Amino acid sequence: MKKQLAKQRWLRLIPVVFITYSLAYLDRANYGFGAAAGLAKDLHITPAISSLLGSLFFLGYFFFQIPGAHYAEKKSAKKLIFWSLILWGGLATATGLVSHVGFLFVIRFALGVVESAVMPAMLVFLSHWFTKAERSRANTFLILGNPATVLWMSIVSGYLLESFGWRWMFILEGFPAVIWAFLWWKLVNDEPKDAKWLSTEEKRDLQEELEKEQKGIKPVKGYKEAFKNRTVILLSIQYALWSIGVYGFVMWLPSIIKAAPNMDIVKTGWLSSVPYVLAVILMLAVSYLSDKFLNRSAFVWPFLLVGALAFAGSYLIGTSNFWLSFTLLVIAGGTMYAPYGPFFAIIPEILPRNVAGGAMALINSMGALGSFLGSYIVGYLNGLTGGFGASYVFMAGSLLVAAILTIVATKKPGKREVVKQVEEMA
């Protein structure tokens, strides 16, 4: 009979993880609101400089993920995230104090560096606490911080901007991360064995289950070998393409909606939130089913394919029927977010604990590169063509290739490949 693992892990850890990642995403994404509400004008930021500021964040985010994951696995995810919370909260607050664009360059790059450690460190942390049958759901509650934050940030930032201006918005939204750092330190432990809120039997059962999973995974000596793994390489490319679609969508959805006839900023804000409501619902449902059937690929590629088809359909309809076109955009947004939980559960199931965190960091860093390319190229195509059709096709194509790569990357090896792997091990 299968042992019942400690249920209080979900109530104790998941809310803390969700809030932490939500605060990270808040201090990353509120720049766009500040720029639109006076920051760009006050600091004389041209569109070209604004693009450079965006790229600097992703540059820092791209380069420092693997060192962060390595520290989280070898040393302490708890300590790394504690200092990250303090630093990114301080940097976000400092954004509200800048008087020259030069300081903003430094802050945006540093913010990318500090926040780059958060996602891989959190994935490492969750892999220490949740088993294979739970991991997709645990990952999903972490990543829910993304769409959920977009929902509430839009409302809170709007009120803060209206009441206090862009400087106080950054100051007031950055400060909570610093306070939360100390609650994080008090509430979490790196390993189950250190948790005073678990009984000795609960610690033993959970540790045995996690160790049993590791025994079924082929040993990998180090990152060099892990990074040459076919699945890791393909999923890195897949995630870059997937992120092109996601961040192109996130950055430009309000502009796409605002361009519709008789559309004001209030309607745009409300309509822009609809895809994220669908995203939250689908993420929870997909992660539950993925854990239930212990199948990852089947709950990733179909949703990316639907997202690609929805983008293509919205492009074909164009402006002839706004509400049908918008409905397809909602479907595209929701289905792009749906598979995050199952996707990040793939690597810990094929690579051992000593390299899984680094491999996930590599994949996530390629996602950061895709995020930058997505937001930049979509904006470039919109400006070049004077419409959104070309960018729809570009995002649809990226998602279609990402869906195909998911199937190829997670395809189980045939008999000949298995023999080859056995010979290599011997």
Side-chain angles (χ1 to χ4, degrees):
M1 185 178 174
K2 195 171 182 179
K3 294 175 182 176
Q4 183 71 42
L5 300 176
K7 287 184 177 180
Q8 63 263 45
R9 290 170 300 144
W10 294 93
L11 295 173
R12 173 93 180 198
L13 300 176
I14 292 300
V16 176
V17 164
F18 173 82
I19 292 170
T20 304
Y21 191 65
S22 187
L23 287 172
Y25 203 80
L26 166 68
D27 289 335
R28 177 197 314 181
N30 61 4
Y31 173 77
F33 283 84
L39 181 149
K41 182 181 178 182
D42 292 349
L43 299 183
H44 309 291
I45 298 173
T46 64
I49 293 174
S50 185
S51 294
L52 183 57
L53 285 166
S55 67
L56 277 174
F57 173 86
F58 285 114
L59 198 64
Y61 197 80
F62 173 73
F63 281 115
F64 290 90
Q65 295 212 26
I66 294 172
H70 179 77
Y71 184 91
E73 186 61 75
K74 302 298 181 184
K75 301 287 186 180
S76 170
K78 174 181 175 178
K79 188 180 292 184
L80 179 64
I81 292 169
F82 171 77
W83 286 110
S84 295
L85 277 159
I86 292 175
L87 289 170
W88 92 56
L91 288 165
T93 298
T95 306
L97 304 174
V98 294
S99 55
H100 189 274
V101 71
F103 293 113
L104 198 55
F105 281 119
V106 176
I107 289 170
R108 290 299 292 174
F109 178 77
L111 194 63
V113 171
V114 172
E115 288 197 16
S116 68
V118 179
M119 180 71 163
M122 281 293 197
L123 291 168
V124 167
F125 175 78
L126 291 174
S127 71
H128 292 178
W129 278 94
F130 296 93
T131 65
K132 181 178 179 178
E134 303 167 321
R135 208 161 283 142
S136 177
R137 281 168 292 161
N139 291 343
T140 292
F141 280 113
L142 163 66
I143 302 165
L144 272 175
N146 179 324
T149 301
V150 174
L151 281 172
W152 67 263
M153 178 190 70
S154 303
I155 299 167
V156 172
S157 296
Y159 279 113
L160 289 175
L161 287 167
E162 187 178 0
S163 303
F164 305 107
W166 67 268
R167 291 187 180 278
W168 276 103
M169 181 201 74
F170 283 113
I171 293 168
L172 294 172
E173 289 185 348
F175 196 57
V178 179
I179 299 171
W180 182 255
F182 296 94
L183 291 170
W184 162 268
W185 187 262
K186 183 74 175 173
L187 292 170
V188 306
N189 304 95
D190 275 308
E191 306 274 358
K193 62 182 175 63
D194 301 320
K196 294 179 181 178
W197 45 275
L198 289 178
S199 69
T200 304
E201 185 182 357
E202 286 172 328
K203 292 178 188 179
R204 186 185 67 245
D205 290 346
L206 181 55
Q207 196 62 41
E208 284 177 358
E209 190 65 31
L210 292 168
E211 288 173 1
K212 191 191 301 179
E213 290 177 6
Q214 291 296 305
K215 289 176 183 176
I217 300 174
K218 177 188 171 184
V220 175
K221 292 178 183 177
Y223 290 140
K224 186 177 179 181
E225 186 180 343
F227 293 169
K228 290 193 293 184
N229 181 285
R230 173 180 173 274
T231 303
V232 172
I233 293 170
L234 289 174
L235 290 182
S236 295
I237 300 169
Q238 184 266 22
Y239 196 52
L241 291 166
W242 180 1
S243 297
I244 283 174
V246 170
Y247 273 83
F249 179 84
V250 169
M251 291 287 287
W252 292 99
L253 179 66
S255 299
I256 291 168
I257 295 173
K258 184 71 168 60
N262 305 315
M263 190 64 62
D264 60 36
I265 194 66
V266 175
K267 288 179 184 175
T268 299
W270 278 103
L271 290 176
S272 295
S273 70
V274 177
Y276 301 104
V277 175
L278 178 62
V280 169
I281 295 167
L282 287 178
M283 286 174 77
L284 292 170
V286 168
S287 63
Y288 171 79
L289 292 170
S290 177
D291 278 347
K292 181 178 175 65
F293 294 104
L294 285 179
N295 191 320
R296 308 308 180 194
S297 177
F299 290 95
V300 177
W301 71 262
F303 289 93
L304 299 182
L305 179 60
V306 170
L309 294 174
F311 266 130
S314 187
Y315 159 69
L316 291 172
I317 292 165
T319 56
S320 62
N321 188 328
F322 171 76
W323 289 109
L324 181 55
S325 182
F326 172 71
T327 300
L328 288 170
L329 280 181
V330 170
I331 293 169
T335 52
M336 277 193 297
Y337 274 97
Y340 274 117
F343 178 78
F344 279 108
I346 293 171
I347 292 300
E349 293 173 9
I350 63 168
L351 290 178
R353 182 167 160 171
N354 64 310
V355 294
M360 287 190 289
L362 174 66
I363 291 168
N364 202 45
S365 65
M366 290 302 292
L369 190 60
S371 300
F372 166 63
L373 289 173
S375 56
Y376 178 80
I377 295 174
V378 168
Y380 174 78
L381 289 173
N382 292 344
L384 183 69
T385 62
F388 300 104
S391 58
Y392 281 22
V393 173
F394 173 64
M395 288 187 280
S398 298
L399 288 173
L400 178 61
V401 178
I404 295 168
L405 282 175
T406 307
I407 299 170
V408 176
T410 55
K411 183 182 177 184
K412 291 183 179 179
K415 186 177 179 182
R416 188 175 297 175
E417 290 167 301
V418 171
V419 171
K420 186 178 178 182
Q421 289 177 7
V422 171
E423 287 174 350
E424 286 174 354
M425 289 173 68

